[in-house]
Amino acid sequence: MVPGVRLVVLGKQGAGKGTQCVRLSHHFVVPHVSTGDMLRAEVKSRTPLGQRAKALMDQGELISDDLVMEMVGQRIDDSDTQARGFVLDGCPRTISQAQHLADLLEPDHLDLVLDLEVPTTMVLKRLASRRVCVDCGANYSVASPPLTNWTCDVCGGEVIQREDDTEDAIRRRLELYDRQTAPLIEWYQRHDLLISINGTGSPDAVTRRCVKAIDDRRSNRSPVEV
Ligand code: AMP
């Protein structure tokens, strides 16, 4: 079996992170750990955390670092992530979360951080047409809907537009990305963990670039043209 991996995927909202993280988690046989999905599950089950998070999420604001990192800390302690690693999606979103994650992983560390690069004009278009399954989080779009009547092909759940995919919330999330998350790129570069991936083109092409970057890094070759 392919060796596991501890991977973080960065990228603006709409850069295709969710789609690529699912594909990479299948390829490397590791859990896909999405903080957005975990928080949406908390909201759906009306837990105390979900009730605190809902209004912030609907407005596109970030949940506090402590709450998110406590949730992530518990998840990466589980036996499946301990055994094979993870593809972490949506976290870290701040330098403080990145530092906290490094502390949680001690004495180990991340294998690699991929940054999916997609122009803002393209992510705006993708976000406006994005539709997701309320149950499993599978991604669709207006141009590429599920096979039957907005019912998820994977689990049969309802496929809807996310409440934070409104124009105002999208603008706010992209603003926060530039201010709080983009500095992580430089931070991970300094830690020699970052590889930028061209996130445009078909999902298959982007997955191939990601897998090649990871395989190249593992075999200590410098990645060419990722
Ligand atoms: P996402 O699905 O990754 O776009 O996340 C949806 C929303 O969940 C974000 O807009 C935030 O409100 C919240 N969220 C997800 N991950 C984090 C995180 N690492 N730190 C703070 N808030 C988060």
Side-chain angles (χ1 to χ4, degrees):
M1 191 197 277
V2 62
V5 72
R6 289 192 203 92
L7 186 68
V8 161
V9 180
L10 300 177
K12 291 188 192 85
Q13 289 74 13
K17 268 195 318 288
T19 302
Q20 293 303 325
C21 286
V22 170
R23 288 162 164 251
L24 292 170
S25 85
H26 290 159
H27 181 90
F28 291 104
V29 200
V30 294
H32 170 210
V33 178
S34 156
T35 47
D37 286 351
M38 290 161 83
L39 287 165
R40 280 184 286 276
E42 299 277 343
V43 170
K44 204 172 166 209
S45 319
R46 301 213 162 95
T47 63
L49 169 57
Q51 285 172 356
R52 280 159 78 183
K54 181 169 183 353
L56 289 169
M57 290 174 75
D58 285 350
Q59 288 157 24
E61 300 291 336
L62 294 186
I63 311 307
S64 81
D65 289 343
D66 287 349
L67 285 180
V68 170
M69 293 317 295
E70 190 184 331
M71 194 176 74
V72 170
Q74 283 168 5
R75 183 64 186 91
I76 62 180
D77 246 2
D78 287 345
S79 54
D80 56 348
T81 41
Q82 287 291 321
R84 301 231 4 121
F86 49 80
V87 177
L88 192 49
D89 171 4
C91 182
R93 262 177 155 95
T94 61
I95 301 271
S96 141
Q97 290 183 13
Q99 186 61 65
H100 199 138
L101 177 64
D103 294 345
L104 285 172
L105 294 175
E106 284 268 334
D108 290 316
H109 47 79
L110 290 171
D111 293 310
L112 203 57
V113 177
L114 301 182
D115 176 34
L116 290 185
E117 289 187 324
V118 174
T120 301
T121 46
M122 195 177 284
V123 303
L124 284 172
K125 258 194 225 148
R126 283 188 188 171
L127 287 172
S129 76
R130 173 161 79 177
R131 300 294 181 270
V132 294
C133 170
V134 288
D135 290 334
C136 74
N139 268 295
Y140 299 90
S141 72
V142 173
S144 166
L147 295 175
T148 44
N149 203 21
W150 298 105
T151 299
C152 180
D153 296 339
V154 182
C155 75
E158 190 189 1
V159 174
I160 56 153
Q161 182 165 32
R162 268 170 54 166
E163 287 189 38
D164 59 354
D165 275 348
T166 60
E167 213 179 304
D168 280 353
I170 288 171
R171 198 175 316 111
R172 178 69 183 142
R173 281 151 66 210
L174 289 173
E175 200 180 289
L176 282 180
Y177 183 83
D178 280 342
R179 187 144 44 90
Q180 299 197 286
T181 309
L184 283 174
I185 292 168
E186 201 192 313
W187 197 84
Y188 278 125
Q189 249 159 4
R190 269 193 280 119
H191 289 77
D192 195 25
L193 284 171
L194 191 97
I195 293 189
S196 298
I197 304 285
N198 172 359
T200 64
S202 70
D204 283 350
V206 179
T207 308
R208 273 197 299 275
R209 289 176 204 137
C210 293
V211 169
K212 179 173 185 317
I214 296 164
D215 288 347
D216 282 349
R217 172 61 72 111
R218 288 209 230 246
S219 55
N220 278 330
R221 275 179 284 136
S222 301
V224 187
E225 292 280 308
V226 291

